[in-house]
Amino acid sequence: MVMQATQSAAVRISAQGAFGVVVEGFDPTSSAHVVEVRRAVYRERIAVVKGLDLDPHQFVALGRLFGEPKPYYEPIYHHPDVAEVFVSSNLDTGEQHIGVPKTGKFWHSDYQFMPRPFDLTLIHPRLVPSRDRGTFFIDLVREYQALDPALQRALKGTTATHSVHRYFKIRPHDVYRPISEVLDDIATTTPPVNLPTVHAHPHTGEPVAYVSEGFTTGITDADGVERPDLLHELLSATGQLDSTFEHPAIRLQTYDKGDLLIWDNRSLVHRALHSASDEPTVSHRVTVYDDGGRSA
Ligand code: 7UC
Ligand code: FE
């Protein structure tokens, strides 16, 4: 065991079932702890860091240890004090609503519809409902490896197209605007992006079948021919068309107050499980680019 140049006690990182790790004793002021947790996230996809209670300023400061935080492109999601903090909330205080309710209730990867999707997503639940809490995940590295080799071959050289248009949330200032203008805004601000259907994970080199039911609108082969059959087969094989959520690829990650979830956004798709009840639920999110240089 090599001695680390830090005053902090050792961080404890342990496996938790199908994939992901639990992190206890994490000290955000220890750069050694940050390095260990980052490595675990790239390898194991999700880390659930226990025992943190961060205000929005502290949260974005912690995000900065993992990469470069980016504010979401639509300001309606921003925390009023810290724009880099994205707020998912169903709280209605009677005054102006903070954040957006029922976000991400569909299979997706964060910013998959942008030229450069986020590398890491950090979620810090602030108000946790008593039941139906958690997020579903599918590991697209593991599911790519499990694909029929004929489908893997067919995906070679293909391109996937992604768009936000099906899940763009109508903003308060869109009320009474013609829907065609809102659709034009979406097309101008976030035109569809094309990414290789299978990309190498930037840190591990593993192939990822980077498609989602929510954002991916099509697959095109190397000759420019649209292949809806390949998209359907891939979504089905990776469990994203299973409305019972019993597909073996799907894992429910639960959490408690005081947890911080950090996940590898380039290899996972996720889907929020929102409580059917009206119980207040508030979650803060910070998304980061982890090297500042690489483009899509
Ligand atoms: O309101 C939402 O569901 C937000 C979604 C369209 N985008 C989240 C993201 O980071 O891509
Ligand atoms: Fe999301």
Side-chain angles (χ1 to χ4, degrees):
M1 171 88 193
V2 180
M3 289 300 288
Q4 288 167 340
T6 168
Q7 300 296 305
S8 324
V11 63
R12 297 181 299 285
I13 301 182
S14 43
Q16 51 142 21
F19 55 98
V21 294
V22 179
V23 179
E24 282 157 309
F26 176 71
D27 174 0
T29 65
S30 159
S31 50
H33 284 195
V34 172
V35 168
E36 277 192 64
V37 171
R38 274 175 69 123
R39 201 177 295 142
V41 171
Y42 297 137
R43 250 192 345 246
E44 310 295 336
R45 324 289 182 220
I46 307 178
V48 185
V49 183
K50 308 296 287 185
L52 295 175
D53 180 17
L54 307 170
D55 69 28
H57 297 279
Q58 294 168 321
F59 187 20
V60 77
L62 187 145
R64 233 170 254 130
L65 302 175
F66 287 85
E68 189 193 344
K70 285 283 170 201
Y72 196 68
Y73 77 108
E74 279 292 344
I76 54 168
Y77 294 82
H78 293 180
H79 188 284
D81 302 332
V82 184
E84 290 88 346
V85 174
F86 170 113
V87 182
S88 176
S89 166
N90 65 1
L91 269 192
D92 200 345
T93 57
E95 293 150 46
Q96 213 194 338
H97 191 94
I98 294 180
V100 176
K102 295 191 193 300
T103 60
K105 229 183 148 179
F106 50 90
W107 288 114
H108 70 286
S109 160
D110 295 331
Y111 259 28
Q112 190 171 27
F113 55 88
M114 287 290 200
R116 187 175 172 193
F118 295 123
D119 291 318
L120 298 174
T121 297
L122 293 79
I123 296 277
H124 196 30
R126 304 311 289 151
L127 251 182
V128 178
S130 60
R131 60 191 179 88
D132 296 344
R133 54 176 126 165
T135 304
F136 291 115
F137 286 93
I138 295 172
D139 181 344
L140 297 177
V141 169
R142 206 170 62 165
E143 296 315 308
Y144 177 78
Q145 278 155 5
L147 288 182
D148 182 336
L151 180 54
Q152 287 183 347
R153 275 195 301 278
L155 292 173
K156 274 221 170 72
T158 65
T159 300
T161 304
H162 312 281
S163 165
V164 72
H165 72 265
R166 283 172 57 215
Y167 290 102
F168 181 87
K169 301 297 191 296
I170 299 297
R171 301 157 294 194
H173 64 268
D174 291 320
V175 174
Y176 305 131
R177 290 180 73 207
I179 192 72
S180 60
E181 275 182 22
V182 178
L183 291 170
D184 285 349
D185 274 6
I186 299 171
T188 307
T189 312
T190 48
V193 299
N194 297 314
L195 298 172
T197 310
V198 180
H199 70 84
H201 186 281
H203 293 273
T204 66
E206 298 160 294
V208 185
Y210 196 59
V211 294
S212 72
E213 203 274 326
F215 288 155
T216 309
T217 55
I219 288 183
T220 309
D221 71 16
D223 303 321
V225 178
E226 300 235 10
R227 295 295 303 272
D229 55 323
L230 289 182
L231 179 58
H232 187 270
E233 237 189 290
L234 190 50
L235 291 174
S236 171
T238 57
Q240 299 186 55
L241 301 181
D242 180 0
S243 53
T244 68
F245 299 101
E246 278 161 13
H247 192 286
I250 302 175
R251 196 165 69 78
L252 177 64
Q253 177 67 56
T254 57
Y255 42 74
D256 297 309
K257 183 140 174 43
D259 288 354
L260 171 71
L261 262 64
I262 307 177
W263 74 72
D264 180 44
N265 189 58
R266 297 309 307 257
S267 61
L268 297 173
V269 282
H270 60 280
R271 175 179 180 133
L273 168 69
H274 283 281
S275 178
S277 76
D278 288 338
E279 273 191 88
T281 308
V282 179
S283 194
H284 289 176
R285 175 185 108 170
V286 169
T287 39
V288 307
Y289 289 128
D290 63 8
D291 67 8
R294 190 168 41 79
S295 65

